[in-house]
Amino acid sequence: MKDLLRQRVAVQDSIIKKLNNQVKLEAQASAAYLAMAAWCDQNAYDHSAKFFYEQSSEEREHMMKLFHYISDMGGIAVSPAVAGSQSEFSSLKEVFETALENEINVTESINQIVSDCRKNNDFATENFMQWFVKEQVEEEFVIRRILDYFEMLGEDPKSLLMIDERVGGVSYGE
Amino acid sequence: MHLIHQTENGQIVQADKENCFYMTYKGMEYKMNVCSFIAFKSKIDTYNLELMLMSDVTKNDLEIIPLCNKDRFLVLTLEEMIEVKHLVQGALVMLELNSIVHQRINRANLV
Ligand SMILES: [Fe+2]
Ligand SMILES: [Fe+2]
């Protein structure tokens, strides 16, 4: 009996399902960042707003990267339905704390996929996912560093302005 | 022709010459290539049977499932849905098993 399945599909169904779930997570992250950008705009935190607009489009790029991979491997990529995102925040600090929490969830999910790839000997997908592993290290670092500023400077209006101005300058250098 | 999986009212066979599958369910035959089979399974996977069972809404008693780019449709009752779901999911497990067998027996000799 021929191995028809392998001839058409390079990645196992169970992994495809997890990748599609990751597509959804990235889409949700993109929407969540957009809501955060809007909040920052409304509250005149211009640099933070810019930061979150950029994050939002990065998340969409992540989503598309996964989407194309699924399709290229012969799987069925599912355009995700995104639930409403949080748009009310009590402070700028809360916005960044929520962002970090989201990123941590995304990291956990990515790690889980890598672990599943190993269990299933799917080295190609594992290799593909390594890019995301690295990306998460960067993203978590940047947001953590910004949260450090809140600890260092406090949250009075002048400090908040200073923090906002520094947001765009944080980067992860290896 | 190789029998992949069967349930009480249905079966899925693989036709090596044509590189496709034939699903028969309650006397009807549906020809699917690998892509449409995978698409069909993804479609079936998205139905939450538990939710449909618990729902009071009568419209959920029948489901219309498009097949092969909407060339044909399956109209199934909930009971039939459960069976078709088992049929298709079971078939995929057997196909994956076949891939493993191929890998272990045929491709392992390449190294
Ligand atoms: Fe991401
Ligand atoms: Fe991210």
Side-chain angles (χ1 to χ4, degrees):
Chain A
M1 178 175 147
K2 276 193 195 169
D3 187 359
L4 289 185
L5 192 66
R6 183 64 184 84
Q7 285 175 12
R8 293 296 318 195
V9 189
V11 173
Q12 236 180 285
D13 192 54
S14 63
I15 301 276
I16 292 286
K17 214 170 254 170
K18 290 188 173 114
L19 292 175
N20 266 316
N21 186 53
Q22 191 62 35
V23 165
K24 192 178 173 140
L25 274 184
E26 301 290 347
Q28 250 154 15
S30 178
Y33 280 140
L34 206 54
M36 290 175 188
W39 187 91
C40 293
D41 252 346
Q42 282 156 27
N43 291 275
Y45 297 120
D46 295 340
H47 301 269
S48 300
K50 186 166 174 275
F51 174 82
F52 285 120
Y53 281 124
E54 281 166 9
Q55 290 301 310
S56 177
S57 41
E58 265 187 37
E59 298 303 345
R60 196 189 138 77
E61 279 167 31
H62 297 170
M63 179 190 90
M64 292 313 294
K65 207 175 160 84
L66 285 154
F67 207 86
H68 286 304
Y69 181 78
I70 295 170
S71 269
D72 292 347
M73 293 302 113
I76 305 233
V78 182
S79 176
V82 179
S85 338
Q86 183 180 347
S87 56
E88 306 284 341
F89 300 92
S90 60
S91 66
L92 186 63
K93 190 180 172 195
E94 197 202 337
V95 176
F96 281 100
E97 277 173 344
T98 311
L100 180 60
E101 223 170 279
N102 288 352
E103 286 300 338
I104 290 171
N105 288 339
V106 169
T107 305
E108 293 294 321
S109 164
I110 286 166
N111 289 346
Q112 191 56 54
I113 295 175
V114 172
S115 150
D116 290 332
C117 289
R118 285 202 186 155
K119 269 183 225 140
N120 289 291
N121 284 350
D122 186 344
F123 302 116
T125 307
E126 185 192 336
N127 187 43
F128 168 76
M129 288 309 291
Q130 287 302 339
W131 182 88
F132 287 86
V133 172
K134 203 163 152 256
E135 181 73 13
Q136 284 310 114
V137 172
E138 275 183 46
E139 299 209 334
E140 278 194 33
F141 172 87
V142 169
I143 300 175
R144 259 196 208 101
R145 179 45 52 89
I146 295 168
L147 281 168
D148 285 344
Y149 294 151
F150 287 92
E151 298 299 319
M152 276 156 32
L153 299 166
E155 288 185 76
D156 59 276
K158 262 192 200 146
S159 303
L160 287 175
L161 219 65
M162 256 167 72
I163 293 169
D164 182 50
E165 268 168 17
R166 305 197 103 200
V167 162
V170 183
S171 66
Y172 177 75
E174 278 160 89
Chain B
M1 293 284 208
H2 304 276
L3 178 65
I4 306 293
H5 192 56
Q6 61 182 342
T7 56
E8 207 188 325
N9 300 298
Q11 63 169 26
I12 292 178
V13 296
Q14 175 176 317
D16 273 359
K17 272 202 189 127
E18 298 166 273
N19 285 340
C20 74
F21 305 109
Y22 286 95
M23 179 175 94
T24 3
Y25 189 70
K26 293 201 168 165
M28 298 289 276
E29 191 179 69
Y30 308 88
K31 183 180 175 179
M32 287 183 257
N33 61 21
V34 184
C35 291
S36 15
F37 175 74
I38 298 286
F40 181 55
K41 177 176 183 280
S42 309
K43 186 89 200 135
I44 291 266
D45 280 345
T46 59
Y47 290 92
N48 188 334
L49 295 182
E50 248 169 79
L51 225 105
M52 287 164 69
L53 274 168
M54 306 303 273
S55 163
D56 296 329
V57 188
T58 38
K59 74 168 172 109
N60 279 349
D61 281 355
L62 269 185
E63 280 301 331
I64 302 169
I65 306 162
L67 223 110
C68 312
N69 291 327
K70 301 195 175 176
D71 267 354
R72 299 180 71 181
F73 293 88
L74 269 169
V75 182
L76 301 175
T77 65
L78 235 158
E79 223 173 306
E80 291 169 334
M81 268 295 277
I82 296 171
E83 192 185 352
V84 169
K85 203 166 179 159
H86 279 157
L87 179 63
V88 171
Q89 286 174 343
L92 187 81
V93 170
M94 296 318 285
L95 289 171
E96 286 184 336
L97 202 61
N98 183 44
S99 291
I100 293 174
V101 169
H102 267 264
Q103 203 225 329
R104 292 289 150 84
I105 294 176
N106 306 342
R107 296 180 198 127
N109 296 330
L110 298 176
V111 219

